[in-house]
Amino acid sequence: MSGKKISFIFCCILLLTKQVSIAQTNTEKVNKLLHEEMIAEQIPGLQLVVIKDNKIVLSEALGMANVQFSVPVTKGTTFSINSIAKVFTGTAIMQLVEEGMIDIEKPVADYLDDLPESWQAVTIKQLLGHTSGLPDIEDESTGGLVGNKGEVTAWKIVQTMPMQFAPGEQFSYNATNYLLLQKIIEKYGKLPFEQYIATYQLNPVEMTKTTFGNSYEVEKDKAPTYCYYYLDRELGDYVKGDQLLEVYENFPEMMRADAGMFSTAEELAHWIIALQNGKLLKNKSSLKTMWEPVKLNNGEMDGFGDILNGYALGWPVVMRSEHPAVAPIGGGRAAFLIYPEDNLTIILLTNLSGCSPELIIDQIANIYFTK
């Protein structure tokens, strides 16, 4: 063997050894940070997946899925991802756009009949970006639907309620927006919403454990959801206590486009990779459109606050000069951040409401930004 070949092989071995060493160092740093956050936030259990250059480079399952019975988290444990369902809705809408079925710039009244007169000017884009001004079908004071009865009653009542503001004037997170989007998807996709999502997104990516449902429904490998907050009736508000409580959540079927999904970090990772590889949306421009923050009438953009300072088509957005991201969150316990300029995605699912996983993710991302 020639000297040049030996030198080349030796350099390759050194490079590979260095890459393995960096990966091991990153894993150690991530696990240390995760353990610190689990202690600080009192998180019972979690799953984490890191995707770099569209490949899974780290997958962890830590802690307890079920505290009562000391059941550990595995990579097959399913967690409630709540409002992360909206990114599947946004993707479904863009799939229908690619098929020429709908135009997000047009009024929802072009696609759905018998809507109130005051709703007629609202566009599909404004529904997706929560800038519609529609009245909210959810009652903040009860945590349920307006009218405190069923879905049919709530739908009748919300149509009689006044607009919150003129379309495009403000950002206001609102379940009515995604109820209408679900109706559009079902009408033009010609399938019930859950079946449409399964057919065109879950099945192509083999997401066999990802489902829709309610927190109290018993499913194999499903983690309960916990919190430390309780309703103080004297104050009329939720306050943080010392006792871990199990959360009871009902996600109405007519609003599954808004919330009510359960998944694993690895299945979400496969979906994200498929989305970025063009398996779910045909055109790169569709992904760009879906991640573009929706502007208000005055040209400004708004979102939840903190790092989530914009909102796109079902996707919260982190707008900043370095390491911008799209950042779906759910229930204050599940999140993933995609950093397109860094070819990096981090998914963190927990079973503790209120632990702000998006902020933990942004700390973890710093470990990879420095490399």
Side-chain angles (χ1 to χ4, degrees), residues 90 125-131 171 178 287-295 302-303 310-317 326:
K125 188 174 185 178
Q126 288 169 334
L127 295 178
L128 287 161
H130 292 295
T131 62
F171 170 83
Y178 278 72
L287 194 59
K288 183 179 179 181
T289 298
M290 189 165 64
W291 289 352
E292 184 71 27
V294 176
K295 292 182 179 179
D302 198 4
Y311 201 96
L313 307 189
W315 298 70
V317 178
V326 288

Short mmCIF file of all heavy atoms in Angstrom, two decimals, residues 90 125-131 171 178 287-295 302-303 310-317 326:
data_model
loop_
_atom_site.label_atom_id
_atom_site.label_comp_id
_atom_site.label_asym_id
_atom_site.label_seq_id
_atom_site.Cartn_x
_atom_site.Cartn_y
_atom_site.Cartn_z
N GLY A 90 -52.16 22.71 9.20
CA GLY A 90 -51.53 23.62 8.25
C GLY A 90 -50.98 22.88 7.04
O GLY A 90 -51.12 23.34 5.90
N LYS A 125 -56.10 32.26 5.34
CA LYS A 125 -54.79 32.60 5.92
C LYS A 125 -54.97 33.21 7.31
O LYS A 125 -54.19 32.92 8.23
CB LYS A 125 -54.06 33.57 5.00
CG LYS A 125 -52.61 33.85 5.40
CD LYS A 125 -51.94 34.70 4.34
CE LYS A 125 -50.47 34.89 4.65
NZ LYS A 125 -49.79 35.68 3.58
N GLN A 126 -55.98 34.05 7.48
CA GLN A 126 -56.23 34.65 8.79
C GLN A 126 -56.70 33.60 9.80
O GLN A 126 -56.38 33.71 10.99
CB GLN A 126 -57.25 35.78 8.65
CG GLN A 126 -56.67 37.01 7.96
CD GLN A 126 -57.72 38.04 7.58
OE1 GLN A 126 -58.89 37.71 7.37
NE2 GLN A 126 -57.31 39.29 7.46
N LEU A 127 -57.43 32.61 9.35
CA LEU A 127 -57.80 31.49 10.24
C LEU A 127 -56.54 30.78 10.71
O LEU A 127 -56.36 30.52 11.91
CB LEU A 127 -58.71 30.50 9.51
CG LEU A 127 -60.09 30.95 9.07
CD1 LEU A 127 -60.79 29.81 8.32
CD2 LEU A 127 -60.94 31.39 10.25
N LEU A 128 -55.66 30.45 9.77
CA LEU A 128 -54.44 29.72 10.09
C LEU A 128 -53.54 30.50 11.04
O LEU A 128 -52.91 29.92 11.93
CB LEU A 128 -53.67 29.40 8.80
CG LEU A 128 -54.27 28.31 7.91
CD1 LEU A 128 -53.73 28.41 6.49
CD2 LEU A 128 -53.98 26.93 8.48
N GLY A 129 -53.51 31.84 10.87
CA GLY A 129 -52.60 32.67 11.65
C GLY A 129 -53.22 33.30 12.87
O GLY A 129 -52.59 34.12 13.54
N HIS A 130 -54.47 32.92 13.20
CA HIS A 130 -55.17 33.45 14.39
C HIS A 130 -55.27 34.97 14.38
O HIS A 130 -55.10 35.63 15.40
CB HIS A 130 -54.46 32.99 15.67
CG HIS A 130 -54.58 31.52 15.93
ND1 HIS A 130 -55.78 30.89 16.20
CD2 HIS A 130 -53.63 30.54 15.95
CE1 HIS A 130 -55.58 29.60 16.39
NE2 HIS A 130 -54.28 29.36 16.22
N THR A 131 -55.59 35.52 13.21
CA THR A 131 -55.81 36.96 13.11
C THR A 131 -57.22 37.26 12.57
O THR A 131 -57.48 38.34 12.05
CB THR A 131 -54.76 37.62 12.19
OG1 THR A 131 -54.88 37.08 10.85
CG2 THR A 131 -53.35 37.40 12.71
N PHE A 171 -53.62 39.60 16.77
CA PHE A 171 -53.39 38.16 16.94
C PHE A 171 -54.17 37.70 18.16
O PHE A 171 -54.05 38.29 19.23
CB PHE A 171 -51.90 37.87 17.14
CG PHE A 171 -51.60 36.43 17.54
CD1 PHE A 171 -51.52 35.44 16.59
CD2 PHE A 171 -51.43 36.09 18.89
CE1 PHE A 171 -51.25 34.12 16.96
CE2 PHE A 171 -51.17 34.79 19.26
CZ PHE A 171 -51.08 33.80 18.30
N TYR A 178 -59.72 26.97 13.82
CA TYR A 178 -59.34 25.63 13.38
C TYR A 178 -60.54 24.70 13.23
O TYR A 178 -60.49 23.73 12.48
CB TYR A 178 -58.24 25.07 14.30
CG TYR A 178 -56.90 25.63 13.86
CD1 TYR A 178 -56.59 26.97 14.10
CD2 TYR A 178 -56.01 24.87 13.13
CE1 TYR A 178 -55.41 27.52 13.63
CE2 TYR A 178 -54.83 25.40 12.65
CZ TYR A 178 -54.52 26.73 12.91
OH TYR A 178 -53.36 27.27 12.42
N LEU A 287 -43.62 24.84 1.65
CA LEU A 287 -43.04 24.85 3.00
C LEU A 287 -42.69 26.28 3.41
O LEU A 287 -42.95 26.69 4.55
CB LEU A 287 -41.80 23.97 3.03
CG LEU A 287 -41.25 23.57 4.40
CD1 LEU A 287 -42.27 22.82 5.22
CD2 LEU A 287 -39.98 22.73 4.24
N LYS A 288 -42.13 27.03 2.49
CA LYS A 288 -41.78 28.43 2.76
C LYS A 288 -43.03 29.24 3.10
O LYS A 288 -43.05 30.03 4.05
CB LYS A 288 -41.06 29.04 1.57
CG LYS A 288 -40.59 30.47 1.79
CD LYS A 288 -39.85 31.01 0.57
CE LYS A 288 -39.42 32.45 0.81
NZ LYS A 288 -38.71 33.02 -0.37
N THR A 289 -44.09 29.04 2.34
CA THR A 289 -45.36 29.74 2.59
C THR A 289 -45.92 29.37 3.95
O THR A 289 -46.39 30.23 4.70
CB THR A 289 -46.38 29.38 1.50
OG1 THR A 289 -45.90 29.82 0.23
CG2 THR A 289 -47.73 30.03 1.78
N MET A 290 -45.86 28.09 4.29
CA MET A 290 -46.44 27.62 5.55
C MET A 290 -45.69 28.17 6.76
O MET A 290 -46.27 28.33 7.84
CB MET A 290 -46.43 26.08 5.57
CG MET A 290 -47.20 25.47 6.73
SD MET A 290 -47.54 23.72 6.52
CE MET A 290 -45.89 23.02 6.52
N TRP A 291 -44.41 28.46 6.61
CA TRP A 291 -43.59 28.94 7.73
C TRP A 291 -43.44 30.46 7.75
O TRP A 291 -42.75 31.01 8.61
CB TRP A 291 -42.21 28.30 7.67
CG TRP A 291 -42.22 26.83 8.03
CD1 TRP A 291 -43.26 26.10 8.53
CD2 TRP A 291 -41.12 25.92 7.91
NE1 TRP A 291 -42.89 24.80 8.73
CE2 TRP A 291 -41.57 24.65 8.36
CE3 TRP A 291 -39.80 26.04 7.48
CZ2 TRP A 291 -40.75 23.52 8.39
CZ3 TRP A 291 -38.98 24.92 7.50
CH2 TRP A 291 -39.45 23.67 7.95
N GLU A 292 -44.11 31.15 6.84
CA GLU A 292 -44.02 32.62 6.78
C GLU A 292 -45.00 33.23 7.78
O GLU A 292 -46.20 32.98 7.72
CB GLU A 292 -44.36 33.11 5.38
CG GLU A 292 -44.20 34.60 5.18
CD GLU A 292 -42.76 35.07 5.17
OE1 GLU A 292 -41.88 34.26 4.81
OE2 GLU A 292 -42.53 36.23 5.53
N PRO A 293 -44.52 34.04 8.74
CA PRO A 293 -45.43 34.64 9.73
C PRO A 293 -46.52 35.46 9.06
O PRO A 293 -46.27 36.16 8.08
CB PRO A 293 -44.50 35.53 10.56
CG PRO A 293 -43.14 34.96 10.37
CD PRO A 293 -43.11 34.41 8.98
N VAL A 294 -47.74 35.34 9.59
CA VAL A 294 -48.88 36.09 9.05
C VAL A 294 -48.82 37.53 9.56
O VAL A 294 -48.71 37.77 10.76
CB VAL A 294 -50.21 35.42 9.46
CG1 VAL A 294 -51.39 36.25 9.00
CG2 VAL A 294 -50.29 34.00 8.89
N LYS A 295 -48.92 38.47 8.63
CA LYS A 295 -48.86 39.89 9.00
C LYS A 295 -50.24 40.41 9.37
O LYS A 295 -51.26 39.97 8.82
CB LYS A 295 -48.31 40.70 7.83
CG LYS A 295 -46.84 40.44 7.53
CD LYS A 295 -46.35 41.33 6.40
CE LYS A 295 -44.87 41.08 6.10
NZ LYS A 295 -44.39 41.93 5.00
N ASP A 302 -47.27 39.22 15.24
CA ASP A 302 -47.44 38.99 16.66
C ASP A 302 -47.54 37.50 16.92
O ASP A 302 -47.78 36.70 16.02
CB ASP A 302 -48.70 39.72 17.15
CG ASP A 302 -48.72 39.91 18.66
OD1 ASP A 302 -47.71 39.56 19.32
OD2 ASP A 302 -49.73 40.40 19.18
N GLY A 303 -47.34 37.13 18.20
CA GLY A 303 -47.41 35.73 18.59
C GLY A 303 -47.66 35.61 20.07
O GLY A 303 -48.20 36.51 20.70
N GLY A 310 -43.95 35.37 16.60
CA GLY A 310 -44.69 35.38 15.35
C GLY A 310 -45.52 34.12 15.22
O GLY A 310 -45.34 33.16 15.99
N TYR A 311 -46.46 34.13 14.27
CA TYR A 311 -47.29 32.93 14.06
C TYR A 311 -47.55 32.78 12.57
O TYR A 311 -48.01 33.72 11.90
CB TYR A 311 -48.61 33.03 14.82
CG TYR A 311 -49.26 31.69 15.08
CD1 TYR A 311 -49.08 31.02 16.28
CD2 TYR A 311 -50.03 31.07 14.10
CE1 TYR A 311 -49.64 29.78 16.51
CE2 TYR A 311 -50.60 29.83 14.31
CZ TYR A 311 -50.41 29.19 15.52
OH TYR A 311 -50.97 27.95 15.73
N ALA A 312 -47.23 31.61 12.05
CA ALA A 312 -47.40 31.34 10.62
C ALA A 312 -48.68 30.52 10.40
O ALA A 312 -49.67 30.71 11.10
CB ALA A 312 -46.17 30.62 10.09
N LEU A 313 -48.67 29.60 9.45
CA LEU A 313 -49.88 28.85 9.09
C LEU A 313 -49.99 27.59 9.94
O LEU A 313 -49.79 26.47 9.48
CB LEU A 313 -49.86 28.51 7.60
CG LEU A 313 -49.64 29.68 6.65
CD1 LEU A 313 -49.85 29.25 5.21
CD2 LEU A 313 -50.52 30.87 6.99
N GLY A 314 -50.31 27.80 11.24
CA GLY A 314 -50.39 26.71 12.19
C GLY A 314 -49.10 26.51 12.97
O GLY A 314 -49.05 25.67 13.86
N TRP A 315 -48.09 27.31 12.66
CA TRP A 315 -46.75 27.16 13.23
C TRP A 315 -46.33 28.43 13.97
O TRP A 315 -46.12 29.47 13.34
CB TRP A 315 -45.73 26.89 12.13
CG TRP A 315 -45.94 25.64 11.35
CD1 TRP A 315 -46.94 25.38 10.45
CD2 TRP A 315 -45.12 24.46 11.35
NE1 TRP A 315 -46.79 24.14 9.90
CE2 TRP A 315 -45.69 23.54 10.44
CE3 TRP A 315 -43.95 24.11 12.04
CZ2 TRP A 315 -45.13 22.29 10.21
CZ3 TRP A 315 -43.39 22.86 11.80
CH2 TRP A 315 -43.97 21.97 10.90
N PRO A 316 -46.17 28.39 15.30
CA PRO A 316 -45.54 29.50 15.99
C PRO A 316 -44.12 29.71 15.44
O PRO A 316 -43.47 28.74 15.02
CB PRO A 316 -45.51 29.05 17.45
CG PRO A 316 -46.60 28.04 17.56
CD PRO A 316 -46.62 27.34 16.23
N VAL A 317 -43.65 30.95 15.48
CA VAL A 317 -42.38 31.29 14.85
C VAL A 317 -41.48 32.05 15.83
O VAL A 317 -41.95 32.88 16.60
CB VAL A 317 -42.61 32.17 13.59
CG1 VAL A 317 -41.29 32.57 12.95
CG2 VAL A 317 -43.48 31.42 12.58
N VAL A 326 -39.12 27.69 13.52
CA VAL A 326 -40.55 27.48 13.69
C VAL A 326 -40.68 26.57 14.90
O VAL A 326 -39.87 25.66 15.09
CB VAL A 326 -41.21 26.87 12.45
CG1 VAL A 326 -41.31 27.90 11.34
CG2 VAL A 326 -40.48 25.63 11.95
#
